Amino acid sequence: NCNFYKEYFFISEQEFNLKLENDFFIETRRYNTFIEVDGKKDKAVFSYGLPKNQVEDLTKPLVVILDKNGLLEFSNYIGSENIVVILLECDEEVTKKRVMDRGGVSEDEFNRRNKADKISFKGIENISDAIINTNQSVDEIVHQVLETYNYYN
């Protein structure tokens, strides 16, 4: 059995900052983005954090999705010997199609995020235990992730 935290918890920026001040998170990230409100683009900041209480039980595997800096902070928190790093790679065109099909993101915003991701994830392949190409079905990806995890444990 594995802990999958599929859900996001939406809190106000004020509550996020308070939790940040109280050392609630293992790692955090803030992303500058644009949102569309009434047909108009507005700047926005999305804040993400991995709460410490979600990783208290290390007797079960835990799946988290992090950028390179988040991975380094997470590794420092729980110890690199306790993690298996699996990089999920995807061709840019496949990623773009998936994002655009999901909706809510303009092509300009996709391009901006894609450029930022290239910076955020640069060099992560050098600290990954395995790399899985995700240009396949979700079932195939999950199978490969579990196979990889079992190999390292």
Side-chain angles (χ1 to χ4, degrees):
N1 284 346
C2 187
N3 293 325
F4 285 97
Y5 290 97
K6 299 177 190 175
E7 298 173 18
Y8 287 93
F9 301 97
F10 295 94
I11 58 176
S12 70
E13 192 66 21
Q14 181 181 5
E15 187 177 352
F16 184 88
N17 290 334
L18 183 61
K19 288 179 181 288
L20 190 58
E21 289 171 19
N22 290 317
D23 201 32
F24 179 80
F25 299 108
I26 294 171
E27 65 85 37
T28 62
R29 290 291 165 272
R30 291 183 191 235
Y31 298 98
N32 295 314
T33 189
F34 291 94
I35 58 172
E36 200 167 302
V37 179
D38 297 325
K40 221 170 86 174
K41 269 190 190 179
D42 285 333
K43 287 184 179 182
V45 176
F46 291 162
S47 301
Y48 296 88
L50 178 60
K52 290 178 179 178
N53 64 2
Q54 287 192 351
V55 297
E56 289 173 344
D57 181 8
L58 293 179
T59 61
K60 292 183 181 179
L62 174 70
V63 175
V64 294
I65 300 171
L66 303 166
D67 66 9
K68 183 179 174 186
N69 289 333
L71 168 61
L72 295 173
E73 291 173 23
F74 184 66
S75 179
N76 286 337
Y77 183 78
I78 69 163
S80 61
E81 70 280 2
N82 295 313
I83 62 174
V84 175
V85 179
I86 302 172
L87 173 60
L88 302 179
E89 284 191 324
C90 190
D91 293 340
E92 189 173 320
E93 287 306 311
V94 173
T95 301
K96 183 176 183 178
K97 180 177 179 352
R98 289 175 179 168
V99 169
M100 300 311 278
D101 287 351
R102 197 170 52 222
V105 175
S106 70
E107 188 164 346
D108 286 345
E109 178 61 7
F110 169 80
N111 290 334
R112 189 201 61 73
R113 289 181 186 185
N114 191 50
K115 183 178 177 183
D117 282 352
K118 286 179 182 178
I119 295 166
S120 294
F121 287 91
K122 185 176 178 148
I124 198 167
E125 67 279 356
N126 299 323
I127 55 175
S128 298
D129 295 305
I131 300 172
I132 295 174
N133 186 291
T134 62
N135 297 338
Q136 53 192 324
S137 75
V138 172
D139 288 341
E140 291 170 318
I141 296 166
V142 169
H143 175 75
Q144 286 186 12
V145 167
L146 292 174
E147 217 172 56
T148 302
Y149 173 79
N150 289 330
Y151 174 81
Y152 283 97
N153 286 292

